Amino acid sequence: MNFCIQAGPVTREELGRATWTFIHTLGAQYPEKPTRQQKKDVKELMAIISRIYPCKECADHFKEVLRSNPVQAGSQAEFSQWLCRVHNVVNRSLGKPTFPCERVDARWGKLDCEHRMCDLQGSMTPFD
Ligand SMILES: Cc1cc2nc3c(=O)[nH]c(=O)nc-3n(C[C@H](O)[C@H](O)[C@H](O)COP(=O)(O)OP(=O)(O)OC[C@H]3O[C@@H](n4cnc5c(N)ncnc54)[C@H](O)[C@@H]3O)c2cc1C
């Protein structure tokens, strides 16, 4: 197998696009009925991004964004809409146009993965 070794460091924009792709795809795939653990995990993930995102200025700004917009992850719709709103806060701060959040499901979908093998499992009981 041949590997391409020409790619150098990524730009802040490339890193941002890749990270938003990851986060919004997670939002699309997040369960309708998340377990307590899944809710905890996405809250922690956002907090971790706000601490160790490899662009300090972005991380510091995201910390403030999270402070004013606490994570809402009670369901798939709630989490993907929350993500859209916080992405729009970042868009506004960079002078970019905002994205219409009613179109978030059309823009971002679940991972294209055979037989739904990549789906996250949600809670089937009220006790998780
Ligand atoms: C947590 C975080 C914080 C960041 N903070 C900064 C910062 O402080 N300073 C800085 O210079 N850069 C920051 N960035 C990077 C910045 O947000 C962009 O990713 C980068 O500027 C490239 O922008 P873009 O125009 O290509 O589209 P991006 O903003 O990367 O968006 C990628 C795609 O997502 C879709 N999209 C856009 N808005 C939304 C939305 N609201 N909801 C759903 N989908 C949407 C569009 O189709 C768009 O093409 C941050 C990135 C992240 C992940």
Side-chain angles (χ1 to χ4, degrees):
M1 187 188 287
N2 290 321
F3 291 99
C4 173
I5 54 168
Q6 282 181 338
V10 296
T11 63
R12 189 198 285 225
E13 285 72 26
E14 288 168 331
L15 177 69
R17 280 190 286 273
T19 307
W20 288 122
T21 298
F22 162 56
I23 295 176
H24 287 297
T25 303
L26 175 62
Q29 214 149 311
Y30 191 71
E32 300 295 338
K33 291 183 180 173
T35 62
R36 196 176 293 169
Q37 185 65 49
Q38 285 164 332
K39 289 186 237 178
K40 188 166 176 272
D41 285 346
V42 291
K43 283 177 190 169
E44 277 178 14
L45 177 63
M46 295 304 137
I48 289 167
I49 289 173
S50 80
R51 293 199 295 270
I52 60 160
Y53 188 76
C55 153
K56 189 176 182 316
E57 185 189 321
C58 310
D60 287 347
H61 178 233
F62 197 56
K63 234 176 258 148
E64 284 173 29
V65 174
L66 288 183
R67 227 171 272 137
S68 340
N69 300 273
V71 180
Q72 293 179 7
S75 67
Q76 190 278 328
E78 190 176 75
F79 185 48
S80 59
Q81 287 297 308
W82 176 84
L83 285 172
C84 185
R85 289 197 299 278
V86 294
H87 192 164
N88 275 337
V89 174
V90 175
N91 286 342
R92 263 184 235 108
S93 75
L94 298 175
K96 291 177 193 280
T98 56
F99 185 91
C101 289
E102 68 276 10
R103 295 184 56 198
V104 80
D105 292 343
R107 171 63 180 87
W108 300 101
K110 293 184 178 189
L111 190 63
D112 188 6
C113 189
E114 279 184 10
H115 310 306
R116 305 188 62 188
M117 282 181 58
C118 304
D119 282 11
L120 296 174
Q121 297 301 308
S123 167
M124 302 306 289
T125 78
F127 304 112
D128 285 325

